[in-house]
Amino acid sequence: MIDPSTGFTKMDMVRYYAKVGPLMLQHLKARPVALVRAPGGVPGELFFQKHQEAEALPGMRSLDPALDEGHAPLLEVVSPQGLRSGSQMNVIEYHTWNALKDRMERPDRLTFDLDPGEGVAWADVREGTRLLRVLLQGLGLPAFLKTSGGKGLHVVVPLKRLRDWDTVKDFSRAIVLHLAETIPQRFVAKSGPRNRVGRIFVDYLRNGRGATTVSAWSARARPGMGVSVPVGWEELDALTSAAHWNVRNIDARLGVGNGPWQAYEEAAVSLTPAMKALGFRPG
């Protein structure tokens, strides 16, 4: 039993990843992955695994140790068998880096995680997501949307691989600071539950080297087992929660698949014009 609240079992987990695997592998391809393992199911203790602990599981590949010196090799999921192997080892969640393995020091995306504090209504989360998109559009940055499967929403900006980690993270922080200074009644730039009561923390820390974000189509290790799903901006108003889709109702979404992100790769941009527009100077 993985999730007593839904009756979801380990075999159900295998079947779930068999269904979503073809869609999910498009988001996992060539990216280092971190695994969230739940040997005791959702109610038990969770383990976050970023490096190979023993031999790589079938369908997973050990990456060059030089990519993360001083640690065991990072992992990549390379086939549907890797998802089956993960389920056998009690993996529920898959998180990915903001870079591809062939150019690890040049991030290929910005990720913003809208994390609502206590007392923030879901309608306010949707509104906050729209406001972030307006700011990004004003900076000339394309924005793609997905549910987190947890509490908030994720906004992702595809990048040309031109800048280093520090520059990308510092610029994402500048964006969030600007948002919090402009609309302080809605946003806060400091993490921590006390800081975001009644407001949304837009988490830019996901943009640092080694940080990860849950992959599209990953289930979440929470009661109800929500799923992170790519969505179109025109669908935002219809979303009822960050866990609008879960492991039990996901079949209705498989036909749409990755369609809302169809133009993602072609949309990648340089950060230079946006930096100039915001008055940001790389350190």
Side-chain angles (χ1 to χ4, degrees):
M1 181 64 65
I2 289 179
D3 179 24
S5 73
T6 59
F8 206 73
T9 67
K10 190 168 183 176
M11 181 56 73
D12 291 328
M13 193 87 265
V14 173
R15 291 173 179 144
Y16 169 77
Y17 279 119
K19 282 191 294 191
V20 304
L23 297 170
M24 189 174 180
L25 285 169
Q26 295 177 41
H27 297 268
L28 297 175
K29 184 179 179 181
R31 291 189 189 277
V33 65
L35 313 173
V36 176
R37 298 169 58 181
V42 169
E45 187 175 358
L46 303 180
F47 298 91
F48 196 77
Q49 179 184 341
K50 295 182 67 173
H51 300 90
Q52 180 180 318
E53 293 183 347
E55 290 188 14
L57 298 172
M60 296 190 190
R61 177 184 297 151
S62 300
L63 299 181
D64 184 345
L67 296 177
D68 200 21
E69 292 185 9
H71 300 279
L74 295 166
L75 295 169
E76 175 194 4
V77 180
V78 295
S79 72
Q81 185 181 20
L83 298 174
R84 293 195 296 273
S85 298
S87 296
Q88 175 63 19
M89 297 303 294
N90 306 301
V91 176
I92 295 180
E93 300 185 8
Y94 294 82
H95 294 235
T96 53
W97 283 52
N98 281 349
L100 301 175
K101 65 181 181 181
D102 63 333
R103 292 188 70 187
M104 284 279 287
E105 303 310 318
R106 293 292 184 266
D108 72 330
R109 68 187 183 198
L110 278 174
T111 300
F112 297 96
D113 176 10
L114 285 90
D115 188 1
E118 183 182 348
V120 176
W122 176 246
D124 293 331
V125 176
R126 291 193 305 238
E127 178 194 50
T129 307
R130 280 192 216 95
L131 291 170
L132 173 59
R133 185 195 187 196
V134 168
L135 173 57
L136 294 173
Q137 286 178 320
L139 295 173
L141 297 175
F144 290 80
L145 178 66
K146 69 183 180 78
T147 62
S148 69
K151 293 194 303 178
L153 295 168
H154 293 161
V155 176
V156 182
V157 177
L159 301 177
K160 293 181 178 179
R161 298 187 289 175
L162 304 173
R163 301 283 182 169
D164 61 25
W165 286 104
D166 287 344
T167 301
V168 169
K169 181 181 177 182
D170 288 348
F171 183 57
S172 68
R173 178 176 180 271
I175 290 174
V176 173
L177 284 172
H178 179 79
L179 196 63
E181 290 168 359
T182 305
I183 319 175
Q185 66 272 29
R186 286 282 184 263
F187 300 101
V188 63
K190 292 183 179 180
S191 60
R194 291 183 181 179
N195 295 320
R196 62 175 185 261
V197 172
R199 293 183 291 177
I200 299 169
F201 170 55
V202 182
D203 188 354
Y204 60 87
L205 301 172
R206 307 301 177 97
N207 298 305
R209 191 187 192 283
T212 60
T213 304
V214 71
S215 172
W217 303 105
S218 176
R220 302 305 304 271
R222 303 171 182 226
M225 301 189 71
V227 175
S228 179
V229 176
V231 294
W233 285 101
E234 71 282 359
E235 298 180 285
L236 178 57
D237 284 340
L239 296 178
T240 56
S241 74
H244 185 92
W245 290 280
N246 58 60
V247 292
R248 290 298 192 195
N249 68 9
I250 197 65
D251 287 10
R253 187 65 181 182
L254 298 180
V256 177
N258 291 322
W261 283 33
Q262 183 176 353
Y264 178 87
E265 291 186 6
E266 295 76 16
V269 295
S270 165
L271 281 180
T272 302
M275 289 178 175
K276 292 179 179 178
L278 197 62
F280 174 83
R281 293 186 178 181

